[in-house]
Amino acid sequence: MHLIQYATEADGPALAKVNVQSFQSRLLLGAVWPESDQNTIQEFKIHVGMRHLANPNMHVVKIHNDSGELVTYSRWQFPASLGESHVTLSDEAALILKNIDAYTPRPMNETVYKAFKQLLAEARERHTRPDDILLDLLATLPEYQGQGYGSAILKWGIEKADATKSRIFLEATPAGVPLYLKYGWRHLEEVTMDLAQYGGTGVESYYMMMRDPVL
Ligand SMILES: CC(C)(COP(=O)(O)OP(=O)(O)OC[C@H]1O[C@@H](n2cnc3c(N)ncnc32)[C@H](O)[C@@H]1OP(=O)(O)O)[C@@H](O)C(=O)NCCC(=O)NCCS
């Protein structure tokens, strides 16, 4: 049984590591920050990730393995009726967040970043209602994938969704689709992002998926 806990500010570096390393095969980050190495992006993600921790509607949960390493984390946006998360940031983290521009790697392809955000925001708008749960992110460090950590976090969220008769919406990468199908999500729409249109290379797909509550 994997222990699921709420993440705190102190987890920032480990969350950023899971985030960047698990998505390293995706093309987006390289298109947004073409000249930045993984460490630079990871460092930035520590700071920018604080925005999610401080958001009372965003529930950031994690699993450590038996050796204490943070191996999986997930972000769930719950409607306020499902309760709020209470992570208070230190003054230092809050100040960095306020001045996040100064910490953003450069050069940054703002156009591709905005296009990506807009593409997913519009898809969310098309498919979701205010009372839906949104699974914003799920990632496991590459060397620990396939060991049941992702499933454990999904079951945690599914239990809450079923108990409150809520739907769960997500935007899956191709890597995530089989797992979500297994746990009851259905396909809504494939959204593609042609990075070449914005100065990058390649095309990336995101699969809009919904899970209806099992009553
Ligand atoms: C998708 C992801 C979150 C799943 O997390 P996980 O901790 O590996 O999940 P589980 O161990 O519970 O595995 C679930 C299923 O994924 C498959 N799987 C996951 N990792 C795998 C790997 N490295 N090799 C083969 N199969 C794998 C297995 O088929 C498994 O199904 P099973 O239970 O029937 O064996 C993880 O693979 C990941 O972080 N991928 C990269 C980031 C990403 O794309 N995230 C999804 C965003 S929507």
Side-chain angles (χ1 to χ4, degrees):
M1 200 43 197
H2 301 301
L3 178 63
I4 295 166
Q5 298 171 296
Y6 271 76
T8 66
E9 180 179 329
D11 294 314
L15 299 177
K17 180 179 170 189
V18 175
N19 185 323
V20 171
Q21 296 203 359
S22 65
F23 289 103
Q24 62 192 332
S25 63
R26 300 289 281 172
L27 302 168
L28 183 74
L29 288 181
V32 176
W33 290 290
E35 292 175 28
S36 300
D37 60 21
Q38 197 163 294
N39 286 339
T40 306
I41 297 175
Q42 225 167 277
E43 200 59 34
F44 172 63
K45 291 264 180 184
I46 297 174
H47 302 314
V48 84
M50 295 297 150
R51 181 173 294 141
H52 300 296
L53 281 175
N55 175 353
N57 296 321
M58 192 66 88
H59 297 245
V60 185
V61 292
K62 59 170 183 171
I63 300 178
H64 292 261
N65 66 10
D66 292 342
S67 318
E69 186 172 8
L70 195 161
V71 291
T72 299
Y73 90 101
S74 190
R75 296 197 304 248
W76 299 73
Q77 193 179 308
F78 288 160
S81 57
L82 284 187
E84 297 193 330
S85 111
H86 296 284
V87 176
T88 308
L89 297 185
S90 65
D91 291 347
E92 191 195 354
L95 191 63
I96 291 175
L97 202 49
K98 223 171 141 192
N99 300 301
I100 198 68
D101 260 9
Y103 296 86
T104 305
R106 306 285 171 196
M108 175 180 180
N109 184 335
E110 305 257 5
T111 313
V112 75
Y113 184 71
K114 283 187 185 144
F116 165 73
K117 289 279 179 201
Q118 190 180 343
L119 190 74
L120 293 193
E122 287 173 359
R124 276 190 184 191
E125 184 73 30
R126 278 197 295 283
H127 294 296
T128 63
R129 306 185 305 236
D131 61 339
D132 288 332
I133 293 173
L134 307 178
L135 174 48
D136 196 48
L137 181 139
L138 173 65
T140 298
L141 279 178
E143 59 268 43
Y144 298 108
Q145 289 173 9
Q147 296 181 27
Y149 295 113
S151 298
I153 287 203
L154 283 185
K155 286 179 192 158
W156 175 88
I158 285 171
E159 206 171 286
K160 294 190 184 321
D162 286 349
T164 54
K165 301 186 176 58
S166 306
R167 307 189 304 176
I168 312 175
F169 174 82
L170 58 81
E171 302 107 356
T173 60
V177 168
L179 178 62
Y180 300 129
L181 288 174
K182 181 174 160 187
Y183 285 99
W185 271 265
R186 59 189 160 84
H187 279 292
L188 297 173
E189 183 189 7
E190 179 184 354
V191 169
T192 56
M193 168 111 192
D194 181 1
L195 296 166
Q197 281 185 13
Y198 309 98
T201 32
V203 178
E204 286 205 310
S205 286
Y206 298 87
Y207 299 88
M208 308 300 113
M209 301 180 82
M210 185 70 85
R211 183 184 183 280
D212 298 303
V214 175
L215 305 175

